[in-house]
mmCIF file with all atom_site columns, all heavy atoms in Angstrom:
data_model
loop_
_atom_site.group_PDB
_atom_site.id
_atom_site.type_symbol
_atom_site.label_atom_id
_atom_site.label_alt_id
_atom_site.label_comp_id
_atom_site.label_asym_id
_atom_site.label_entity_id
_atom_site.label_seq_id
_atom_site.pdbx_PDB_ins_code
_atom_site.Cartn_x
_atom_site.Cartn_y
_atom_site.Cartn_z
_atom_site.occupancy
_atom_site.B_iso_or_equiv
_atom_site.pdbx_formal_charge
_atom_site.auth_seq_id
_atom_site.auth_comp_id
_atom_site.auth_asym_id
_atom_site.auth_atom_id
_atom_site.pdbx_PDB_model_num
ATOM 1   N N   . GLY F 1 444 ? 67.948 43.072 97.993  1.00 87.00 ? 444 GLY F N   1
ATOM 2   C CA  . GLY F 1 444 ? 66.984 42.003 97.834  1.00 87.00 ? 444 GLY F CA  1
ATOM 3   C C   . GLY F 1 444 ? 67.560 40.601 98.052  1.00 87.00 ? 444 GLY F C   1
ATOM 4   O O   . GLY F 1 444 ? 66.822 39.621 97.916  1.00 87.00 ? 444 GLY F O   1
ATOM 5   N N   . THR F 1 445 ? 68.803 40.529 98.416  1.00 92.00 ? 445 THR F N   1
ATOM 6   C CA  . THR F 1 445 ? 69.436 39.239 98.685  1.00 92.00 ? 445 THR F CA  1
ATOM 7   C C   . THR F 1 445 ? 69.851 39.185 100.181 1.00 92.00 ? 445 THR F C   1
ATOM 8   O O   . THR F 1 445 ? 69.867 40.209 100.879 1.00 92.00 ? 445 THR F O   1
ATOM 9   C CB  . THR F 1 445 ? 70.674 38.998 97.852  1.00 92.00 ? 445 THR F CB  1
ATOM 10  O OG1 . THR F 1 445 ? 71.712 39.955 98.222  1.00 92.00 ? 445 THR F OG1 1
ATOM 11  C CG2 . THR F 1 445 ? 70.360 39.225 96.375  1.00 92.00 ? 445 THR F CG2 1
ATOM 12  N N   . LEU F 1 446 ? 70.250 37.996 100.569 1.00 94.00 ? 446 LEU F N   1
ATOM 13  C CA  . LEU F 1 446 ? 70.670 37.864 101.981 1.00 94.00 ? 446 LEU F CA  1
ATOM 14  C C   . LEU F 1 446 ? 72.026 38.543 102.150 1.00 94.00 ? 446 LEU F C   1
ATOM 15  O O   . LEU F 1 446 ? 72.399 38.915 103.312 1.00 94.00 ? 446 LEU F O   1
ATOM 16  C CB  . LEU F 1 446 ? 70.835 36.391 102.341 1.00 94.00 ? 446 LEU F CB  1
ATOM 17  C CG  . LEU F 1 446 ? 69.505 35.612 102.486 1.00 94.00 ? 446 LEU F CG  1
ATOM 18  C CD1 . LEU F 1 446 ? 69.772 34.137 102.748 1.00 94.00 ? 446 LEU F CD1 1
ATOM 19  C CD2 . LEU F 1 446 ? 68.614 36.198 103.591 1.00 94.00 ? 446 LEU F CD2 1
ATOM 20  N N   . LEU F 1 447 ? 72.770 38.776 101.076 1.00 94.00 ? 447 LEU F N   1
ATOM 21  C CA  . LEU F 1 447 ? 74.062 39.428 101.184 1.00 94.00 ? 447 LEU F CA  1
ATOM 22  C C   . LEU F 1 447 ? 73.980 40.826 101.772 1.00 94.00 ? 447 LEU F C   1
ATOM 23  O O   . LEU F 1 447 ? 74.822 41.227 102.582 1.00 94.00 ? 447 LEU F O   1
ATOM 24  C CB  . LEU F 1 447 ? 74.744 39.473 99.817  1.00 94.00 ? 447 LEU F CB  1
ATOM 25  C CG  . LEU F 1 447 ? 76.148 40.075 99.770  1.00 94.00 ? 447 LEU F CG  1
ATOM 26  C CD1 . LEU F 1 447 ? 77.061 39.329 100.703 1.00 94.00 ? 447 LEU F CD1 1
ATOM 27  C CD2 . LEU F 1 447 ? 76.678 40.058 98.338  1.00 94.00 ? 447 LEU F CD2 1
ATOM 28  N N   . VAL F 1 448 ? 72.934 41.570 101.426 1.00 93.00 ? 448 VAL F N   1
ATOM 29  C CA  . VAL F 1 448 ? 72.795 42.946 101.949 1.00 93.00 ? 448 VAL F CA  1
ATOM 30  C C   . VAL F 1 448 ? 72.493 42.925 103.452 1.00 93.00 ? 448 VAL F C   1
ATOM 31  O O   . VAL F 1 448 ? 72.912 43.807 104.201 1.00 93.00 ? 448 VAL F O   1
ATOM 32  C CB  . VAL F 1 448 ? 71.702 43.742 101.171 1.00 93.00 ? 448 VAL F CB  1
ATOM 33  C CG1 . VAL F 1 448 ? 70.305 43.309 101.560 1.00 93.00 ? 448 VAL F CG1 1
ATOM 34  C CG2 . VAL F 1 448 ? 71.911 45.203 101.377 1.00 93.00 ? 448 VAL F CG2 1
ATOM 35  N N   . LEU F 1 449 ? 71.815 41.865 103.900 1.00 94.00 ? 449 LEU F N   1
ATOM 36  C CA  . LEU F 1 449 ? 71.539 41.756 105.367 1.00 94.00 ? 449 LEU F CA  1
ATOM 37  C C   . LEU F 1 449 ? 72.878 41.408 106.087 1.00 94.00 ? 449 LEU F C   1
ATOM 38  O O   . LEU F 1 449 ? 73.116 41.880 107.189 1.00 94.00 ? 449 LEU F O   1
ATOM 39  C CB  . LEU F 1 449 ? 70.536 40.646 105.667 1.00 94.00 ? 449 LEU F CB  1
ATOM 40  C CG  . LEU F 1 449 ? 69.171 40.762 104.940 1.00 94.00 ? 449 LEU F CG  1
ATOM 41  C CD1 . LEU F 1 449 ? 68.203 39.734 105.503 1.00 94.00 ? 449 LEU F CD1 1
ATOM 42  C CD2 . LEU F 1 449 ? 68.581 42.167 105.186 1.00 94.00 ? 449 LEU F CD2 1
ATOM 43  N N   . ILE F 1 450 ? 73.694 40.576 105.445 1.00 95.00 ? 450 ILE F N   1
ATOM 44  C CA  . ILE F 1 450 ? 74.991 40.233 106.024 1.00 95.00 ? 450 ILE F CA  1
ATOM 45  C C   . ILE F 1 450 ? 75.863 41.499 106.106 1.00 95.00 ? 450 ILE F C   1
ATOM 46  O O   . ILE F 1 450 ? 76.518 41.784 107.141 1.00 95.00 ? 450 ILE F O   1
ATOM 47  C CB  . ILE F 1 450 ? 75.703 39.149 105.204 1.00 95.00 ? 450 ILE F CB  1
ATOM 48  C CG1 . ILE F 1 450 ? 74.942 37.830 105.320 1.00 95.00 ? 450 ILE F CG1 1
ATOM 49  C CG2 . ILE F 1 450 ? 77.167 38.970 105.620 1.00 95.00 ? 450 ILE F CG2 1
ATOM 50  C CD1 . ILE F 1 450 ? 75.460 36.735 104.395 1.00 95.00 ? 450 ILE F CD1 1
ATOM 51  N N   . ILE F 1 451 ? 75.860 42.280 105.025 1.00 94.00 ? 451 ILE F N   1
ATOM 52  C CA  . ILE F 1 451 ? 76.594 43.565 105.024 1.00 94.00 ? 451 ILE F CA  1
ATOM 53  C C   . ILE F 1 451 ? 76.123 44.473 106.155 1.00 94.00 ? 451 ILE F C   1
ATOM 54  O O   . ILE F 1 451 ? 76.945 45.094 106.856 1.00 94.00 ? 451 ILE F O   1
ATOM 55  C CB  . ILE F 1 451 ? 76.483 44.221 103.647 1.00 94.00 ? 451 ILE F CB  1
ATOM 56  C CG1 . ILE F 1 451 ? 77.190 43.406 102.571 1.00 94.00 ? 451 ILE F CG1 1
ATOM 57  C CG2 . ILE F 1 451 ? 77.000 45.632 103.701 1.00 94.00 ? 451 ILE F CG2 1
ATOM 58  C CD1 . ILE F 1 451 ? 76.952 43.854 101.155 1.00 94.00 ? 451 ILE F CD1 1
ATOM 59  N N   . ALA F 1 452 ? 74.832 44.546 106.339 1.00 93.00 ? 452 ALA F N   1
ATOM 60  C CA  . ALA F 1 452 ? 74.266 45.427 107.366 1.00 93.00 ? 452 ALA F CA  1
ATOM 61  C C   . ALA F 1 452 ? 74.750 44.957 108.769 1.00 93.00 ? 452 ALA F C   1
ATOM 62  O O   . ALA F 1 452 ? 75.142 45.830 109.631 1.00 93.00 ? 452 ALA F O   1
ATOM 63  C CB  . ALA F 1 452 ? 72.745 45.431 107.292 1.00 93.00 ? 452 ALA F CB  1
ATOM 64  N N   . CYS F 1 453 ? 74.678 43.670 109.010 1.00 94.00 ? 453 CYS F N   1
ATOM 65  C CA  . CYS F 1 453 ? 75.122 43.207 110.327 1.00 94.00 ? 453 CYS F CA  1
ATOM 66  C C   . CYS F 1 453 ? 76.606 43.386 110.576 1.00 94.00 ? 453 CYS F C   1
ATOM 67  O O   . CYS F 1 453 ? 77.044 43.752 111.664 1.00 94.00 ? 453 CYS F O   1
ATOM 68  C CB  . CYS F 1 453 ? 74.764 41.716 110.473 1.00 94.00 ? 453 CYS F CB  1
ATOM 69  S SG  . CYS F 1 453 ? 72.996 41.398 110.570 1.00 94.00 ? 453 CYS F SG  1
ATOM 70  N N   . VAL F 1 454 ? 77.434 43.174 109.514 1.00 94.00 ? 454 VAL F N   1
ATOM 71  C CA  . VAL F 1 454 ? 78.863 43.431 109.672 1.00 94.00 ? 454 VAL F CA  1
ATOM 72  C C   . VAL F 1 454 ? 79.109 44.911 109.997 1.00 94.00 ? 454 VAL F C   1
ATOM 73  O O   . VAL F 1 454 ? 79.919 45.267 110.883 1.00 94.00 ? 454 VAL F O   1
ATOM 74  C CB  . VAL F 1 454 ? 79.615 43.025 108.414 1.00 94.00 ? 454 VAL F CB  1
ATOM 75  C CG1 . VAL F 1 454 ? 81.077 43.472 108.425 1.00 94.00 ? 454 VAL F CG1 1
ATOM 76  C CG2 . VAL F 1 454 ? 79.538 41.527 108.196 1.00 94.00 ? 454 VAL F CG2 1
ATOM 77  N N   . ALA F 1 455 ? 78.409 45.799 109.301 1.00 93.00 ? 455 ALA F N   1
ATOM 78  C CA  . ALA F 1 455 ? 78.630 47.232 109.528 1.00 93.00 ? 455 ALA F CA  1
ATOM 79  C C   . ALA F 1 455 ? 78.209 47.674 110.932 1.00 93.00 ? 455 ALA F C   1
ATOM 80  O O   . ALA F 1 455 ? 78.939 48.395 111.602 1.00 93.00 ? 455 ALA F O   1
ATOM 81  C CB  . ALA F 1 455 ? 77.826 48.046 108.491 1.00 93.00 ? 455 ALA F CB  1
ATOM 82  N N   . VAL F 1 456 ? 77.039 47.181 111.406 1.00 91.00 ? 456 VAL F N   1
ATOM 83  C CA  . VAL F 1 456 ? 76.564 47.595 112.713 1.00 91.00 ? 456 VAL F CA  1
ATOM 84  C C   . VAL F 1 456 ? 77.429 47.108 113.826 1.00 91.00 ? 456 VAL F C   1
ATOM 85  O O   . VAL F 1 456 ? 77.699 47.798 114.837 1.00 91.00 ? 456 VAL F O   1
ATOM 86  C CB  . VAL F 1 456 ? 75.076 47.071 112.885 1.00 91.00 ? 456 VAL F CB  1
ATOM 87  C CG1 . VAL F 1 456 ? 74.629 47.289 114.335 1.00 91.00 ? 456 VAL F CG1 1
ATOM 88  C CG2 . VAL F 1 456 ? 74.152 47.831 111.964 1.00 91.00 ? 456 VAL F CG2 1
ATOM 89  N N   . PHE F 1 457 ? 77.933 45.842 113.698 1.00 90.00 ? 457 PHE F N   1
ATOM 90  C CA  . PHE F 1 457 ? 78.696 45.233 114.815 1.00 90.00 ? 457 PHE F CA  1
ATOM 91  C C   . PHE F 1 457 ? 80.177 45.275 114.595 1.00 90.00 ? 457 PHE F C   1
ATOM 92  O O   . PHE F 1 457 ? 80.913 44.587 115.259 1.00 90.00 ? 457 PHE F O   1
ATOM 93  C CB  . PHE F 1 457 ? 78.209 43.806 115.051 1.00 90.00 ? 457 PHE F CB  1
ATOM 94  C CG  . PHE F 1 457 ? 76.764 43.710 115.359 1.00 90.00 ? 457 PHE F CG  1
ATOM 95  C CD1 . PHE F 1 457 ? 75.892 43.002 114.560 1.00 90.00 ? 457 PHE F CD1 1
ATOM 96  C CD2 . PHE F 1 457 ? 76.250 44.354 116.483 1.00 90.00 ? 457 PHE F CD2 1
ATOM 97  C CE1 . PHE F 1 457 ? 74.520 42.960 114.831 1.00 90.00 ? 457 PHE F CE1 1
ATOM 98  C CE2 . PHE F 1 457 ? 74.895 44.321 116.772 1.00 90.00 ? 457 PHE F CE2 1
ATOM 99  C CZ  . PHE F 1 457 ? 74.024 43.609 115.922 1.00 90.00 ? 457 PHE F CZ  1
ATOM 100 N N   . LEU F 1 458 ? 80.626 46.150 113.704 1.00 91.00 ? 458 LEU F N   1
ATOM 101 C CA  . LEU F 1 458 ? 82.066 46.262 113.436 1.00 91.00 ? 458 LEU F CA  1
ATOM 102 C C   . LEU F 1 458 ? 82.846 46.667 114.677 1.00 91.00 ? 458 LEU F C   1
ATOM 103 O O   . LEU F 1 458 ? 83.947 46.097 114.959 1.00 91.00 ? 458 LEU F O   1
ATOM 104 C CB  . LEU F 1 458 ? 82.279 47.299 112.322 1.00 91.00 ? 458 LEU F CB  1
ATOM 105 C CG  . LEU F 1 458 ? 83.616 47.347 111.621 1.00 91.00 ? 458 LEU F CG  1
ATOM 106 C CD1 . LEU F 1 458 ? 83.985 45.971 111.011 1.00 91.00 ? 458 LEU F CD1 1
ATOM 107 C CD2 . LEU F 1 458 ? 83.593 48.404 110.525 1.00 91.00 ? 458 LEU F CD2 1
ATOM 108 N N   . PRO F 1 459 ? 82.411 47.642 115.481 1.00 86.00 ? 459 PRO F N   1
ATOM 109 C CA  . PRO F 1 459 ? 83.175 48.035 116.663 1.00 86.00 ? 459 PRO F CA  1
ATOM 110 C C   . PRO F 1 459 ? 83.371 46.864 117.663 1.00 86.00 ? 459 PRO F C   1
ATOM 111 O O   . PRO F 1 459 ? 84.477 46.700 118.187 1.00 86.00 ? 459 PRO F O   1
ATOM 112 C CB  . PRO F 1 459 ? 82.304 49.146 117.306 1.00 86.00 ? 459 PRO F CB  1
ATOM 113 C CG  . PRO F 1 459 ? 81.505 49.683 116.162 1.00 86.00 ? 459 PRO F CG  1
ATOM 114 C CD  . PRO F 1 459 ? 81.208 48.528 115.285 1.00 86.00 ? 459 PRO F CD  1
ATOM 115 N N   . GLN F 1 460 ? 82.308 46.105 117.886 1.00 82.00 ? 460 GLN F N   1
ATOM 116 C CA  . GLN F 1 460 ? 82.465 44.950 118.802 1.00 82.00 ? 460 GLN F CA  1
ATOM 117 C C   . GLN F 1 460 ? 83.513 43.949 118.335 1.00 82.00 ? 460 GLN F C   1
ATOM 118 O O   . GLN F 1 460 ? 84.341 43.476 119.050 1.00 82.00 ? 460 GLN F O   1
ATOM 119 C CB  . GLN F 1 460 ? 81.104 44.266 119.035 1.00 82.00 ? 460 GLN F CB  1
ATOM 120 C CG  . GLN F 1 460 ? 80.096 45.079 119.800 1.00 82.00 ? 460 GLN F CG  1
ATOM 121 C CD  . GLN F 1 460 ? 79.252 45.974 118.946 1.00 82.00 ? 460 GLN F CD  1
ATOM 122 O OE1 . GLN F 1 460 ? 79.654 46.389 117.852 1.00 82.00 ? 460 GLN F OE1 1
ATOM 123 N NE2 . GLN F 1 460 ? 78.006 46.230 119.340 1.00 82.00 ? 460 GLN F NE2 1
ATOM 124 N N   . GLY F 1 461 ? 83.451 43.623 117.027 1.00 88.00 ? 461 GLY F N   1
ATOM 125 C CA  . GLY F 1 461 ? 84.372 42.675 116.467 1.00 88.00 ? 461 GLY F CA  1
ATOM 126 C C   . GLY F 1 461 ? 85.811 43.202 116.498 1.00 88.00 ? 461 GLY F C   1
ATOM 127 O O   . GLY F 1 461 ? 86.764 42.511 116.812 1.00 88.00 ? 461 GLY F O   1
ATOM 128 N N   . PHE F 1 462 ? 85.951 44.462 116.124 1.00 89.00 ? 462 PHE F N   1
ATOM 129 C CA  . PHE F 1 462 ? 87.296 45.084 116.086 1.00 89.00 ? 462 PHE F CA  1
ATOM 130 C C   . PHE F 1 462 ? 87.919 45.092 117.464 1.00 89.00 ? 462 PHE F C   1
ATOM 131 O O   . PHE F 1 462 ? 89.115 44.735 117.628 1.00 89.00 ? 462 PHE F O   1
ATOM 132 C CB  . PHE F 1 462 ? 87.188 46.519 115.522 1.00 89.00 ? 462 PHE F CB  1
ATOM 133 C CG  . PHE F 1 462 ? 88.493 47.240 115.466 1.00 89.00 ? 462 PHE F CG  1
ATOM 134 C CD1 . PHE F 1 462 ? 89.404 46.952 114.464 1.00 89.00 ? 462 PHE F CD1 1
ATOM 135 C CD2 . PHE F 1 462 ? 88.839 48.153 116.440 1.00 89.00 ? 462 PHE F CD2 1
ATOM 136 C CE1 . PHE F 1 462 ? 90.635 47.622 114.399 1.00 89.00 ? 462 PHE F CE1 1
ATOM 137 C CE2 . PHE F 1 462 ? 90.054 48.829 116.358 1.00 89.00 ? 462 PHE F CE2 1
ATOM 138 C CZ  . PHE F 1 462 ? 90.937 48.537 115.357 1.00 89.00 ? 462 PHE F CZ  1
ATOM 139 N N   . ARG F 1 463 ? 87.185 45.496 118.473 1.00 79.00 ? 463 ARG F N   1
ATOM 140 C CA  . ARG F 1 463 ? 87.678 45.503 119.849 1.00 79.00 ? 463 ARG F CA  1
ATOM 141 C C   . ARG F 1 463 ? 88.078 44.103 120.324 1.00 79.00 ? 463 ARG F C   1
ATOM 142 O O   . ARG F 1 463 ? 89.099 43.896 120.997 1.00 79.00 ? 463 ARG F O   1
ATOM 143 C CB  . ARG F 1 463 ? 86.672 46.124 120.814 1.00 79.00 ? 463 ARG F CB  1
ATOM 144 C CG  . ARG F 1 463 ? 86.593 47.619 120.729 1.00 79.00 ? 463 ARG F CG  1
ATOM 145 C CD  . ARG F 1 463 ? 87.879 48.229 121.229 1.00 79.00 ? 463 ARG F CD  1
ATOM 146 N NE  . ARG F 1 463 ? 87.881 49.652 121.172 1.00 79.00 ? 463 ARG F NE  1
ATOM 147 C CZ  . ARG F 1 463 ? 88.879 50.414 120.765 1.00 79.00 ? 463 ARG F CZ  1
ATOM 148 N NH1 . ARG F 1 463 ? 89.979 49.850 120.348 1.00 79.00 ? 463 ARG F NH1 1
ATOM 149 N NH2 . ARG F 1 463 ? 88.805 51.675 120.771 1.00 79.00 ? 463 ARG F NH2 1
ATOM 150 N N   . GLY F 1 464 ? 87.256 43.122 119.982 1.00 80.00 ? 464 GLY F N   1
ATOM 151 C CA  . GLY F 1 464 ? 87.479 41.712 120.407 1.00 80.00 ? 464 GLY F CA  1
ATOM 152 C C   . GLY F 1 464 ? 88.790 41.200 119.811 1.00 80.00 ? 464 GLY F C   1
ATOM 153 O O   . GLY F 1 464 ? 89.670 40.667 120.538 1.00 80.00 ? 464 GLY F O   1
#
Side-chain angles (χ1 to χ4, degrees):
T445 66
L446 290 176
L447 182 57
V448 75
L449 304 188
I450 293 173
I451 291 170
C453 291
V454 171
V456 170
F457 300 120
L458 196 57
Q460 290 89 332
F462 179 78
R463 283 293 181 222

